[in-house]
mmCIF file of all heavy atoms in Angstrom:
data_model
loop_
_atom_site.group_PDB
_atom_site.id
_atom_site.type_symbol
_atom_site.label_atom_id
_atom_site.label_comp_id
_atom_site.label_asym_id
_atom_site.label_seq_id
_atom_site.Cartn_x
_atom_site.Cartn_y
_atom_site.Cartn_z
ATOM 1 N N ASP T 1 55.135 30.561 176.720
ATOM 2 C CA ASP T 1 56.643 30.552 176.768
ATOM 3 C C ASP T 1 57.067 31.739 177.505
ATOM 4 O O ASP T 1 57.239 32.853 176.928
ATOM 5 C CB ASP T 1 57.176 30.468 175.301
ATOM 6 C CG ASP T 1 58.669 30.605 175.269
ATOM 7 O OD1 ASP T 1 59.288 30.374 176.357
ATOM 8 O OD2 ASP T 1 59.191 30.854 174.174
ATOM 9 N N SER T 2 57.303 31.674 178.793
ATOM 10 C CA SER T 2 57.802 32.794 179.614
ATOM 11 C C SER T 2 59.302 33.022 179.519
ATOM 12 O O SER T 2 59.832 34.072 179.887
ATOM 13 C CB SER T 2 57.431 32.567 181.077
ATOM 14 O OG SER T 2 58.109 31.414 181.549
ATOM 15 N N THR T 3 60.062 32.067 178.872
ATOM 16 C CA THR T 3 61.564 32.157 178.782
ATOM 17 C C THR T 3 61.989 32.590 177.427
ATOM 18 O O THR T 3 63.091 32.982 177.243
ATOM 19 C CB THR T 3 62.154 30.816 179.067
ATOM 20 O OG1 THR T 3 61.689 29.895 178.072
ATOM 21 C CG2 THR T 3 61.806 30.269 180.427
ATOM 22 N N ARG T 4 61.016 32.761 176.328
ATOM 23 C CA ARG T 4 61.306 33.240 175.098
ATOM 24 C C ARG T 4 62.291 32.393 174.413
ATOM 25 O O ARG T 4 63.124 32.733 173.625
ATOM 26 C CB ARG T 4 61.866 34.671 175.124
ATOM 27 C CG ARG T 4 61.083 35.692 175.827
ATOM 28 C CD ARG T 4 59.763 36.008 175.140
ATOM 29 N NE ARG T 4 60.086 36.715 173.891
ATOM 30 C CZ ARG T 4 59.225 36.897 172.924
ATOM 31 N NH1 ARG T 4 57.909 36.439 173.036
ATOM 32 N NH2 ARG T 4 59.538 37.573 171.846
ATOM 33 N N ARG T 5 62.131 31.038 174.690
ATOM 34 C CA ARG T 5 63.099 30.077 173.943
ATOM 35 C C ARG T 5 62.326 29.331 172.800
ATOM 36 O O ARG T 5 62.939 28.513 172.151
ATOM 37 C CB ARG T 5 63.574 29.125 174.967
ATOM 38 C CG ARG T 5 62.587 28.230 175.528
ATOM 39 C CD ARG T 5 63.221 27.316 176.626
ATOM 40 N NE ARG T 5 62.098 26.717 177.512
ATOM 41 C CZ ARG T 5 62.345 26.204 178.671
ATOM 42 N NH1 ARG T 5 63.545 26.140 179.164
ATOM 43 N NH2 ARG T 5 61.452 25.672 179.372
ATOM 44 N N GLY T 6 61.085 29.608 172.649
ATOM 45 C CA GLY T 6 60.290 28.923 171.608
ATOM 46 C C GLY T 6 59.491 27.778 171.893
ATOM 47 O O GLY T 6 58.751 27.243 171.071
ATOM 48 N N THR T 7 59.517 27.402 173.141
ATOM 49 C CA THR T 7 58.684 26.234 173.621
ATOM 50 C C THR T 7 57.978 26.669 174.841
ATOM 51 O O THR T 7 58.486 27.443 175.690
ATOM 52 C CB THR T 7 59.505 24.944 173.852
ATOM 53 O OG1 THR T 7 60.520 25.337 174.804
ATOM 54 C CG2 THR T 7 60.267 24.545 172.566
ATOM 55 N N PRO T 8 56.741 26.105 174.964
ATOM 56 C CA PRO T 8 55.948 26.485 176.249
ATOM 57 C C PRO T 8 56.518 25.865 177.471
ATOM 58 O O PRO T 8 56.994 24.766 177.493
ATOM 59 C CB PRO T 8 54.556 25.992 175.897
ATOM 60 C CG PRO T 8 54.842 24.849 174.957
ATOM 61 C CD PRO T 8 55.960 25.237 174.178
ATOM 62 N N ASP T 9 56.365 26.633 178.617
ATOM 63 C CA ASP T 9 56.862 26.065 179.904
ATOM 64 C C ASP T 9 55.731 26.110 180.923
ATOM 65 O O ASP T 9 55.885 25.690 182.033
ATOM 66 C CB ASP T 9 58.040 26.872 180.435
ATOM 67 C CG ASP T 9 57.820 28.358 180.441
ATOM 68 O OD1 ASP T 9 57.082 28.823 181.360
ATOM 69 O OD2 ASP T 9 58.197 29.086 179.544
ATOM 70 N N ARG T 10 54.559 26.641 180.549
ATOM 71 C CA ARG T 10 53.426 26.673 181.460
ATOM 72 C C ARG T 10 52.154 26.471 180.602
ATOM 73 O O ARG T 10 51.934 27.042 179.518
ATOM 74 C CB ARG T 10 53.334 28.032 182.173
ATOM 75 C CG ARG T 10 52.241 28.260 183.257
ATOM 76 C CD ARG T 10 52.529 29.417 184.098
ATOM 77 N NE ARG T 10 51.546 29.660 185.054
ATOM 78 C CZ ARG T 10 50.433 30.493 184.929
ATOM 79 N NH1 ARG T 10 50.215 31.213 183.758
ATOM 80 N NH2 ARG T 10 49.526 30.639 185.866
ATOM 81 N N ARG T 11 51.228 25.775 181.208
ATOM 82 C CA ARG T 11 49.981 25.439 180.445
ATOM 83 C C ARG T 11 48.752 25.447 181.396
ATOM 84 O O ARG T 11 48.806 24.950 182.514
ATOM 85 C CB ARG T 11 50.102 24.077 179.791
ATOM 86 C CG ARG T 11 48.839 23.728 178.891
ATOM 87 C CD ARG T 11 49.114 22.439 178.112
ATOM 88 N NE ARG T 11 49.251 21.257 178.977
ATOM 89 C CZ ARG T 11 49.588 20.081 178.536
ATOM 90 N NH1 ARG T 11 49.940 19.879 177.322
ATOM 91 N NH2 ARG T 11 49.713 19.080 179.328
ATOM 92 N N LEU T 12 47.712 26.036 180.906
ATOM 93 C CA LEU T 12 46.495 26.055 181.603
ATOM 94 C C LEU T 12 45.391 25.196 180.816
ATOM 95 O O LEU T 12 45.249 25.343 179.572
ATOM 96 C CB LEU T 12 45.872 27.452 181.681
ATOM 97 C CG LEU T 12 46.840 28.502 182.314
ATOM 98 C CD1 LEU T 12 46.145 29.884 182.322
ATOM 99 C CD2 LEU T 12 47.179 28.109 183.741
ATOM 100 N N THR T 13 44.793 24.252 181.502
ATOM 101 C CA THR T 13 43.796 23.374 180.924
ATOM 102 C C THR T 13 42.379 23.642 181.502
ATOM 103 O O THR T 13 42.301 23.566 182.806
ATOM 104 C CB THR T 13 44.135 21.928 181.078
ATOM 105 O OG1 THR T 13 45.385 21.628 180.470
ATOM 106 C CG2 THR T 13 43.101 21.007 180.399
ATOM 107 N N TYR T 14 41.511 23.974 180.789
ATOM 108 C CA TYR T 14 40.124 24.318 181.323
ATOM 109 C C TYR T 14 39.256 23.101 181.314
ATOM 110 O O TYR T 14 38.971 22.465 180.184
ATOM 111 C CB TYR T 14 39.435 25.344 180.396
ATOM 112 C CG TYR T 14 40.279 26.702 180.368
ATOM 113 C CD1 TYR T 14 41.314 26.878 179.459
ATOM 114 C CD2 TYR T 14 40.048 27.674 181.397
ATOM 115 C CE1 TYR T 14 42.110 28.037 179.494
ATOM 116 C CE2 TYR T 14 40.818 28.783 181.461
ATOM 117 C CZ TYR T 14 41.792 29.014 180.503
ATOM 118 O OH TYR T 14 42.578 30.157 180.487
ATOM 119 N N LEU T 15 38.798 22.629 182.524
ATOM 120 C CA LEU T 15 38.114 21.433 182.651
ATOM 121 C C LEU T 15 36.619 21.563 182.560
ATOM 122 O O LEU T 15 36.157 22.700 182.654
ATOM 123 C CB LEU T 15 38.515 20.773 184.007
ATOM 124 C CG LEU T 15 40.015 20.684 184.197
ATOM 125 C CD1 LEU T 15 40.241 20.040 185.610
ATOM 126 C CD2 LEU T 15 40.631 19.623 183.143
ATOM 127 N N ALA T 16 35.902 20.423 182.383
ATOM 128 C CA ALA T 16 34.449 20.479 182.155
ATOM 129 C C ALA T 16 33.706 21.049 183.407
ATOM 130 O O ALA T 16 32.661 21.637 183.257
ATOM 131 C CB ALA T 16 33.921 19.064 181.899
ATOM 132 N N ASP T 17 34.331 20.870 184.595
ATOM 133 C CA ASP T 17 33.620 21.367 185.832
ATOM 134 C C ASP T 17 33.967 22.833 186.069
ATOM 135 O O ASP T 17 33.466 23.442 187.082
ATOM 136 C CB ASP T 17 34.098 20.588 186.991
ATOM 137 C CG ASP T 17 35.498 20.692 187.309
ATOM 138 O OD1 ASP T 17 36.253 21.494 186.607
ATOM 139 O OD2 ASP T 17 36.030 19.955 188.208
ATOM 140 N N GLY T 18 34.604 23.553 185.144
ATOM 141 C CA GLY T 18 34.778 24.978 185.240
ATOM 142 C C GLY T 18 36.130 25.264 185.951
ATOM 143 O O GLY T 18 36.558 26.504 185.953
ATOM 144 N N SER T 19 36.853 24.241 186.465
ATOM 145 C CA SER T 19 38.095 24.494 187.023
ATOM 146 C C SER T 19 39.209 24.516 186.044
ATOM 147 O O SER T 19 39.035 24.207 184.865
ATOM 148 C CB SER T 19 38.402 23.378 188.158
ATOM 149 O OG SER T 19 38.473 22.112 187.524
ATOM 150 N N VAL T 20 40.356 24.979 186.517
ATOM 151 C CA VAL T 20 41.580 25.170 185.591
ATOM 152 C C VAL T 20 42.754 24.345 186.232
ATOM 153 O O VAL T 20 43.068 24.543 187.411
ATOM 154 C CB VAL T 20 41.973 26.589 185.422
ATOM 155 C CG1 VAL T 20 43.127 26.734 184.459
ATOM 156 C CG2 VAL T 20 40.809 27.411 184.871
ATOM 157 N N ARG T 21 43.358 23.548 185.363
ATOM 158 C CA ARG T 21 44.506 22.812 185.838
ATOM 159 C C ARG T 21 45.741 23.519 185.333
ATOM 160 O O ARG T 21 45.828 23.815 184.198
ATOM 161 C CB ARG T 21 44.476 21.358 185.279
ATOM 162 C CG ARG T 21 45.612 20.465 185.649
ATOM 163 C CD ARG T 21 45.468 19.023 185.353
ATOM 164 N NE ARG T 21 45.635 18.920 183.941
ATOM 165 C CZ ARG T 21 44.670 18.249 183.170
ATOM 166 N NH1 ARG T 21 43.575 17.840 183.723
ATOM 167 N NH2 ARG T 21 44.768 18.101 181.905
ATOM 168 N N VAL T 22 46.655 23.777 186.216
ATOM 169 C CA VAL T 22 47.931 24.461 185.890
ATOM 170 C C VAL T 22 49.042 23.512 185.917
ATOM 171 O O VAL T 22 49.286 22.696 186.737
ATOM 172 C CB VAL T 22 48.273 25.596 186.874
ATOM 173 C CG1 VAL T 22 49.477 26.232 186.520
ATOM 174 C CG2 VAL T 22 47.025 26.541 187.033
ATOM 175 N N GLU T 23 49.737 23.453 184.790
ATOM 176 C CA GLU T 23 50.935 22.554 184.553
ATOM 177 C C GLU T 23 52.097 23.275 184.155
ATOM 178 O O GLU T 23 52.030 24.324 183.566
ATOM 179 C CB GLU T 23 50.548 21.448 183.515
ATOM 180 C CG GLU T 23 49.321 20.640 183.938
ATOM 181 C CD GLU T 23 48.889 19.752 182.729
ATOM 182 O OE1 GLU T 23 48.432 20.355 181.705
ATOM 183 O OE2 GLU T 23 48.919 18.533 182.909
ATOM 184 N N VAL T 24 53.337 22.749 184.480
ATOM 185 C CA VAL T 24 54.500 23.338 184.164
ATOM 186 C C VAL T 24 55.452 22.425 183.458
ATOM 187 O O VAL T 24 55.444 21.190 183.628
ATOM 188 C CB VAL T 24 55.238 24.004 185.383
ATOM 189 C CG1 VAL T 24 54.393 25.088 185.919
ATOM 190 C CG2 VAL T 24 55.502 22.896 186.394
ATOM 191 N N ASP T 25 56.331 22.884 182.655
ATOM 192 C CA ASP T 25 57.444 22.203 181.924
ATOM 193 C C ASP T 25 58.655 22.992 181.896
ATOM 194 O O ASP T 25 58.994 23.665 180.813
ATOM 195 C CB ASP T 25 56.971 21.771 180.550
ATOM 196 C CG ASP T 25 57.992 20.997 179.803
ATOM 197 O OD1 ASP T 25 58.982 20.473 180.424
ATOM 198 O OD2 ASP T 25 57.870 20.980 178.508
ATOM 199 N N PRO T 26 59.405 23.230 183.030
ATOM 200 C CA PRO T 26 60.507 24.144 183.062
ATOM 201 C C PRO T 26 61.561 23.877 182.062
ATOM 202 O O PRO T 26 62.234 24.805 181.556
ATOM 203 C CB PRO T 26 61.049 23.994 184.498
ATOM 204 C CG PRO T 26 59.935 23.401 185.205
ATOM 205 C CD PRO T 26 59.126 22.529 184.319
ATOM 206 N N ALA T 27 61.768 22.672 181.608
ATOM 207 C CA ALA T 27 62.803 22.212 180.641
ATOM 208 C C ALA T 27 62.319 22.440 179.290
ATOM 209 O O ALA T 27 63.143 22.404 178.350
ATOM 210 C CB ALA T 27 63.283 20.903 180.978
ATOM 211 N N GLY T 28 61.043 22.713 179.033
ATOM 212 C CA GLY T 28 60.557 22.807 177.674
ATOM 213 C C GLY T 28 60.635 21.585 176.855
ATOM 214 O O GLY T 28 60.874 21.590 175.667
#
């Protein structure tokens, strides 16, 4: 939660192949 509003707006998902998927949710 980079906006300090209590809900996440960015997420990292670690995949089985070792890569990382970056996702965003600006509206929370």
Side-chain angles (χ1 to χ4, degrees):
D1 174 16
S2 62
T3 62
R4 306 290 293 168
R5 64 187 167 197
T7 57
D9 54 77
R10 185 168 178 263
R11 183 173 66 187
L12 307 179
T13 300
Y14 299 89
L15 305 177
D17 61 3
S19 61
V20 179
R21 183 173 66 235
V22 181
E23 299 170 299
V24 294
D25 177 17

